Amino acid sequence: AQKVTQAQTEISVVEKEDVTLDCVYETRDTTYYLFWYKQPPSGELVFLIRRNSFDEQNEISGRYSWNFQKSTSSFNFTITASQVVDSAVYFCALQDYKLSFGAGTTVTVRA
Amino acid sequence: GAGVSQTPSNKVTEKGKYVELRCDPISGHTALYWYRQSLGQGPEFLIYFQGTGAADDSGLPNDRFFAVRPEGSVSTLKIQRTERGDSAVYLCASSLAPGGVENIQYFGAGTRLSVL
């Protein structure tokens, strides 16, 4: 069974601070994909990033970066120089074909 | 349309009634998924279609829930004899394919179902 754990329930920061969201996953699959989605107050889930299990290279995309460590089954996500518009619930998800989501981390960025 | 469209955006019904929730996926996407999100939780998988057929309906909670996708595009989630516990946001997603590099799922805004 697939399982995703986001230990942080809420994070509150002041604008321009960096925010790192933790994600730990469990799977018996050898090939899988990991995702981060953002859910703003409007409710729509917005795709942010995707990483496949056979590529552990960490990347940066604009203000987003991620750290994938297969050895510890972790897929952490960082927002650099946070902005008020980053305030949302962030979900980590594991995919075989369907997505298994964590419980989400609510990020509040204060001006 | 450019994105996944779900209608209605809100549905209020009475316990015991029948409801239908509609999902119009992104054009050309063969895979379609339904999820349910309860307050304060992550979305939970309900059912997945590849084309017209339900490839995996293991997430449907009981036989009051049923979904169809007769022409491989629009899908309808049907709930019979609604119960107060069915109240949630029902999310639909679509992807080009269920696996591989074309597996990014794009979500609609959801239907908020309230059963009184």
Side-chain angles (χ1 to χ4, degrees):
Chain A
Q2 318 269 45
K3 184 179 179 182
V4 176
T5 301
Q6 295 179 251
Q8 303 150 307
T9 305
E10 295 184 27
I11 297 177
S12 181
V13 298
V14 177
E15 209 169 17
K16 297 185 183 177
E17 290 185 351
D18 296 349
V19 180
T20 295
L21 308 179
D22 298 334
C23 174
V24 175
Y25 63 92
E26 296 177 27
T27 180
R28 293 182 179 178
D29 294 340
T30 55
T31 301
Y32 49 89
Y33 284 84
L34 293 159
F35 293 76
W36 279 96
Y37 281 85
K38 172 183 179 180
Q39 190 172 43
S42 62
E44 187 166 341
L45 276 164
V46 178
F47 164 74
L48 296 178
I49 60 172
R50 175 184 67 176
R51 171 58 60 200
N52 62 54
S53 58
F54 41 90
D55 183 357
E56 291 193 64
Q57 181 178 354
N58 296 310
E59 294 186 18
I60 297 173
S61 175
R63 294 188 298 110
Y64 299 151
S65 62
W66 48 99
N67 186 338
F68 174 40
Q69 304 245 346
K70 203 168 182 179
S71 60
T72 56
S73 297
S74 66
F75 184 52
N76 299 335
F77 174 68
T78 297
I79 306 171
T80 302
S82 61
Q83 301 174 3
V84 173
V85 293
D86 296 327
S87 296
V89 182
Y90 290 81
F91 290 98
C92 179
L94 172 64
Q95 185 186 47
D96 40 20
Y97 52 89
K98 61 182 181 290
L99 290 166
S100 297
F101 288 87
T105 300
T106 300
V107 173
T108 302
V109 182
R110 308 185 308 277
Chain B
V4 178
S5 176
Q6 291 188 247
T7 54
S9 55
N10 283 283
K11 176 70 176 179
V12 181
T13 191
E14 293 179 345
K15 180 176 179 293
K17 297 291 188 182
Y18 168 83
V19 296
E20 290 190 352
L21 312 179
R22 175 188 168 105
C23 173
D24 198 342
I26 294 172
S27 178
H29 281 195
T30 62
L32 185 146
Y33 312 78
W34 285 98
Y35 295 83
R36 180 168 71 174
Q37 186 175 21
S38 300
L39 193 62
Q41 299 181 21
E44 294 180 327
F45 169 77
L46 294 176
I47 186 169
Y48 149 60
F49 288 89
Q50 178 57 35
T52 60
D56 182 355
D57 63 358
S58 62
L60 295 177
N62 52 59
D63 61 5
R64 295 186 298 103
F65 288 75
F66 188 71
V68 296
R69 195 185 185 200
E71 297 179 356
S73 179
V74 171
S75 175
T76 304
L77 179 65
K78 308 180 181 190
I79 310 174
Q80 299 176 323
R81 304 182 305 280
T82 52
E83 299 177 357
R84 292 194 179 87
D86 298 335
S87 297
V89 176
Y90 290 81
L91 296 166
C92 178
S94 69
S95 64
L96 273 170
V101 297
E102 298 175 332
N103 66 349
I104 297 174
Q105 293 184 27
Y106 297 94
F107 283 79
T111 294
R112 182 176 299 278
L113 176 65
S114 300
V115 182
L116 304 180

